[in-house]
Amino acid sequence: MAQSRQTTVLSTKGQVILPKAIREHRRWSPGTRLVVEETADGVLLRREPVLEPTTLDQVSGMLKYNGPPVTVEEMDEAVAEMFRREYDRD
């Protein structure tokens, strides 16, 4: 997005209205939750993450495989077989 100088005014309730062009560019619709961080240069707004941050140890259990090692060629053949079954036109 091109850096254009846009200004806004702090309301008497302490609310800031973000310009429509910025909201649309960032796809920030009404109700979007933003994290406010104070930095040396001013204030930073970031979209709040939808999911909690995770580590590899927390999600690697989904990837466990109990069996003999499979070669790349065997994986390629399994994918090709799946496509043959799914998309075979009799």
Side-chain angles (χ1 to χ4, degrees):
M1 179 176 179
Q3 295 290 333
S4 64
R5 188 173 180 104
Q6 298 181 6
T7 62
T8 189
V9 178
L10 189 65
S11 76
T12 57
K13 293 182 180 183
Q15 297 174 333
V16 175
I17 305 299
L18 295 175
K20 183 178 181 180
I22 292 174
R23 293 191 320 261
E24 287 179 346
H25 176 75
R26 296 280 177 182
R27 296 187 179 107
W28 289 351
S29 58
T32 299
R33 298 184 63 86
L34 302 173
V35 176
V36 181
E37 294 180 11
E38 190 169 353
T39 68
D41 294 328
V43 176
L44 173 68
L45 297 177
R46 289 186 299 110
R47 181 188 297 254
E48 184 177 64
V50 176
L51 302 173
E52 293 288 324
T54 58
T55 64
L56 183 59
D57 292 336
Q58 291 172 316
V59 296
S60 64
M62 294 184 289
L63 307 175
K64 289 185 180 172
Y65 172 69
N66 295 329
V70 180
T71 66
V72 173
E73 292 78 18
E74 290 172 323
M75 287 186 270
D76 287 342
E77 181 56 37
V79 170
E81 178 60 31
M82 185 274 310
F83 274 102
R84 282 192 289 274
R85 277 195 321 267
E86 292 290 322
Y87 300 104
D88 186 25
R89 297 179 189 230
D90 294 324

